[in-house]
Amino acid sequence: MEPSPSDAKKAILLVISQIPRGRVASYGQVAQMAGLPGRARLVGSILSQLPEGSAIPWYRVINAAGRISFPEGSPSYQRQRAHLQGEGVELKGPRIKLQRFRWNP
DNA sequence: AACGTGACGGCTT
DNA sequence: AAAGCCGCCACGT
């Protein structure tokens, strides 16, 4: 069965909510773990519509290049980076050290 | 219904 | 290392 859009959204948010503190996952990784391979953009699309103050740890989702998917220096970029550094995720310049901080369940 | 946009990603230049 | 191409598809216009 093809998952309905709302099922897909639930699956994606569930996966993101399980990313442990101090670890990160890529959009594509989240999509795959949610049973939606190849649909990384859907993950970004859903996160872009999260309400303010959501309990979902949206900031633990980064792109496959190990970078924050906001323009460097934008308020969103700085917010996300601060969250990550606040829980011990190290960056080398604008790039997260995926080798060390990627979530591998 | 058509079209542009975008918190993506893998592959090729 | 960087930029282009293309597949992916929800959404607003």
Side-chain angles (χ1 to χ4, degrees), chain A residues 20-59:
Chain A
R21 204 175 138 61
R23 310 301 293 284
V24 298
S26 72
Y27 296 89
Q29 179 185 355
V30 169
Q32 175 151 1
M33 293 175 72
L36 301 161
R39 301 182 59 181
R41 296 191 80 135
L42 179 59
V43 175
S45 172
I46 285 168
L47 288 187
S48 73
Q49 300 166 220
L50 273 189
E52 280 304 320
S54 164
I56 301 293
W58 56 269
Y59 52 86

Side-chain angles (χ1 to χ4, degrees), chain A residues 1 6 12-13 21 24-25 41 43 49 53 55-56 59-60 71-74 80 82 84 87 90 93 100-101 105:
Chain A
M1 279 302 286
S6 85
I12 286 166
L13 293 181
R21 204 175 138 61
V24 298
R41 296 191 80 135
V43 175
Q49 300 166 220
I56 301 293
Y59 52 86
R60 296 183 184 141
E72 263 187 76
S74 68
Q80 184 167 9
L84 293 175
E87 43 181 62
E90 295 169 31
R100 269 172 35 205
F101 298 103

Side-chain angles (χ1 to χ4, degrees), chain A residues 19 23-25 29 60 62 84 89 96 98 101-103:
Chain A
I19 305 173
R23 310 301 293 284
V24 298
Q29 179 185 355
R60 296 183 184 141
I62 62 176
L84 293 175
V89 176
I96 283 118
L98 276 183
F101 298 103
R102 183 191 279 280
W103 178 39

